[in-house]
Amino acid sequence: MNVRISRSVGVVAVLYFTANFSAQTTKAKDTLAKENKIDEVVVIGYGTQKKSNVTGAIASIKASDIENIPSGKPEQVLQGRAAGVSVVTNSGQPGAAATVRVRGITSFGAGSNSPLWVVDGIVVDNIGWLNQSDIESIEVLKDGASSAIYGVSAAKGVILVTTKKGKKGKLTLSYNGFYGFSNASKKLDLLDATQYAKIINEGFVNDGGTPRFTNPESFGKGTDWQDAIFGTGEKSSHEVSITGGNEKSTYYTSFGYFDQSGIVLSDISYYKRINARFNSTHKVTDYLTLGQTFAYTHVKSQGVSANEEFGGPLASAVNLDPTTPVVVTDWSMVDPSGYTNPYIIRDPNGNPYGISRYVNQEMTNPQAFRHIQQGNYSWSDDFVGNVFAELKFLDHFTFKSSLNGKKSYWGSRSFTPKYYLSPNYNNTSFNSLNKVDENKFEWSMENTLTYQNKFGNHNINIMIGQGVYRYNIAGGASLTYSNLPIDNWQDASFNFNIPQDNITATGWDGIQTRKASYFGRIIYDYADKYLFTGTIRRDGSSKFATNQHWGTFPSMSLGWNVHKENFWPENKVINNLKLRGGYGVLGNDEMDNFRFASFMVSGSNYTNSGNNIIIGYAPSTLENPNLKWEQTSQLNIAADLKLFNNFTLTADWYKKKTTDILRQINIPGYVGVPNLPWSNVGDMQNSGLELELGYKKNWEDFGISVNGNFATIKNEVLRLEDDIKYFNLASFQTMGAVSRVAVGQPYGSFYGQTYSGVFQNQAQIDNYVNANGVKLLPDAKPGDFIWQDNNGDGKIDDEDKVNLGSSIPKYTFGLTVNLNYKNFDLMMFAQGQAGNKIFQGLRRLDMLDANYQTRVLDRWTGEGSTNDNPRVTRNDPNHNYSWMSNYYLQKGDYVRLKIVQLGYTIPQDVTKRFGMSKVRLYITGENLVTFTKYTGYDPEIAGRNNSEQDIIGVDRAYYPQARTFLIGANIQF
């Protein structure tokens, strides 16, 4: 098995090892000699280049690296396999995408920090619609020098995906498939019913009241609400591909089906995907080649709240009291008066689902909630493709023209019955049926002219290009029917003839974005020793005013293959040495159209002297004709070495700085406009060091390859608008902001109060005074936190809040081991991160009767009992629980054994008897064990991926990744 070694380093540290033992029939030195003759080629954007001559930071992942990874989303296979690329799974929800970062967070105002995805030359929003088995290679352009060819869209990194093409030869039929089951890898340690009743009683007593429950032991263990939501999920995939061709034409066709149900209420947590692809290339003449790619994907899915504290099965399971039964069969355990509503949800036996008397609002019985969600789903249809013509002339010239397009349809269908889940969560007035249908069309046309020639020791490649792009040609509509004469989702239909008053319809049209680009690149090397690449791109966008339409983005990189110099002695220590470095300027324009302008909008109505309402118009915001592109400049310095014939070492250092960050700014309310204006108002910097170490050797019956990478990242906000010091970011319930963007700190740092212990007695409280003898915490009681006066002003208030740590990991790492002996193969992959904090916000602060984790059992109960956890209180006069503080932060360090796979390839002399050229059977385990001190479900917590809320590490009831076991087969005819 070949192992590709990524050459660049990225924003996030990754330690990544690959060990590969493979059966060989030749001696190690013969295999090594053969490998040295192969010049690996990587995609660089509008072309390819020998990897040995690449001067930029490009991570390359080939099909052989990912073809046996049973992932439901193709972007997830990047995790731990491309140095400099951080991949954090958004949730364990089937079909959930991943948050991908290339060398860190680049902007905090204009759009998400997701990279630019380019599939076969087509710019797309994501690659979730792709069939993983259709991928030939993935290249990640990480530094400014390699990314600048994509100009204004490249500041957050570029990921190029090339799908498989046909190969000449006989028709080949391949099948890849697997089936398995999943379950929860972890449950929270929550209080049982007896423990809960005692803690609630203690809270009442500590606040001067009387206990609520007279006999806590009578409840026993009570209800485990986690058992009520977690179950067994299933996961299966079937992929068939056909490839072949001759000297003139080649083709690749594939079909795929993927089906996964979740571990949380699996009948309302699922993801189904159907794929079809057809790629072909036709050599019409010796100088003219035509080709096309086409893919269709259909997705149907339904999900539960993946990381949301305001309702949903996960949050409810954590917060509901264990004294409430899932289903009421013993009326002596509940208050019958709470079950008289005719729309209460019942189980198949007619028993009502339990309703908590103490925990209400959005928290509901998950099994009852499941019933009202059945039949609801989201769907999408994506058509992506291109056609191209390539003309070669005058020996050294190639002209290529391509027309690219993506047409997407998506929407949802939902039925809301009449129901009663609790006094605060019900719908007893009327049912409703809703459907949403939306669509978007995007297209582009690009033309490139390439001159390539070699004369003597000089090798030169010159490319110039031009492109036009149209985005967001979109629209949509929503239709709702109410008061249907039915009582279940199976009978819901828009064919009912209902009064017009019960029909609601809305619609919208998108605002088209137009771009035009001119770009060029020169690649030169002398005798494969001295390497140069220079690019420039000029982009024009309709998003900016006339005087700021155009932006120019240049880059340059140099390389030196030192080992090819005559003075370099042949030795067994350093076989190859390449030094490289580059600098590039990139752009970002991710904001809506016309944010520079102010339009007159309705809504500013007023009354005249006769009290008649007059429709009024007013400016929508303040105009800013000088609004311009964000710019990200990046410096990269690196070295690539080959040592002792079998080791490889790569070291990259980079500094990436974004200036003139696009963001909405705050203005005084008296200005009188409804929308905040946009401006260029901030600077931010990322820097890091990345190392890769590899080892590879083959024996007669064994082969081994080991690859490791490690990287660090330091993020710092350098400037905000009008010299302000910070603005708040993520908020949490009644606590308010828990993180902020502050000058001199990493983006999204946690911010709050700090405590130095717990008051053990009244004397400590009385002695905790300022210079004037005034008590710093007059409302405190023994057992409360000792809040620190961090600024020394003699009082405890918001001015004492300090930086509490970063949500961004300082290090990420991975470990992959592949062992092959004869026909057996074993692959193990682990990954993790360190140096970050997680805000654990699983308990609803505004629900005094919400359940607790067992951490509360270590609470303060008397002098000397603990100095870490406060007493239980409902009134909380000292803000032990209601203030954001280091009490809610935990270390996010973890190491996860992500994949273990054992395979066996049936000998060919057996498979040939059945007309098969290859049969490989395997078993796989995913997410088998996670080593972490974090007490939530999962330490791998992504953000919400929407502009300024794009912060990872806030746990609001995260849908955990499942432990999965699979059996599968790879068959080729």
Side-chain angles (χ1 to χ4, degrees), residues 100 109 111 225 261 323 367 376 384 428 446 479 499 514 553 566 577 651-652 746 783 804 860 863 887 897 904 918 952:
V100 181
W225 287 106
S261 58
T323 63
Q367 289 296 331
N376 302 341
V384 183
T428 59
E446 294 180 317
L479 178 64
R514 301 176 176 226
F553 307 99
N566 293 331
L577 171 62
D652 277 77
L804 299 176
W860 186 91
E863 189 166 350
Y887 182 71
L897 184 57
Y904 176 74
K918 176 184 177 182
I952 61 176

Side-chain angles (χ1 to χ4, degrees), residues 843-878:
R843 187 173 187 268
R844 280 288 293 271
L845 303 177
D846 56 339
M847 295 181 177
L848 301 181
D849 295 315
N851 201 6
Y852 294 82
Q853 290 181 257
T854 54
R855 177 185 184 183
V856 75
L857 298 178
D858 296 325
R859 70 208 178 278
W860 186 91
T861 55
E863 189 166 350
S865 57
T866 181
N867 202 40
D868 297 320
N869 298 301
R871 68 191 178 101
V872 176
T873 172
R874 298 172 66 83
N875 298 332
D876 196 17
N878 195 56

Side-chain angles (χ1 to χ4, degrees), residues 116-130:
L116 176 72
W117 298 94
V118 183
V119 179
D120 293 328
I122 308 166
V123 174
V124 294
D125 298 330
N126 58 74
I127 60 171
W129 49 273
L130 267 176

Side-chain angles (χ1 to χ4, degrees), residues 13 22 129 151 157 200 210 253 319 343 397 410 430 509 525 829 849 915:
S22 57
W129 49 273
I200 294 298
T210 57
T253 301
N319 286 278
Y343 299 111
F397 289 89
W410 70 95
F430 54 83
D509 286 317
D525 72 75
F829 169 58
D849 295 315

Side-chain angles (χ1 to χ4, degrees), residues 310-327:
F310 295 111
L314 279 157
S316 294
V318 173
N319 286 278
L320 281 173
D321 62 281
T323 63
T324 299
V326 176
V327 177

Side-chain angles (χ1 to χ4, degrees), residues 530-541:
Y530 311 118
L531 317 171
F532 169 81
T533 300
T535 68
I536 188 167
R537 180 158 179 146
R538 186 161 172 79
D539 287 306
S541 173

Side-chain angles (χ1 to χ4, degrees), residues 2 41 128 146 159 274 349 392 439 572 656 660 674 709 928:
N2 294 328
V41 174
S146 57
I159 300 182
I274 298 172
N349 296 320
K392 296 183 178 181
N439 68 88
K572 295 182 179 180
K656 181 170 70 170
D660 295 324
N709 62 63
L928 296 180

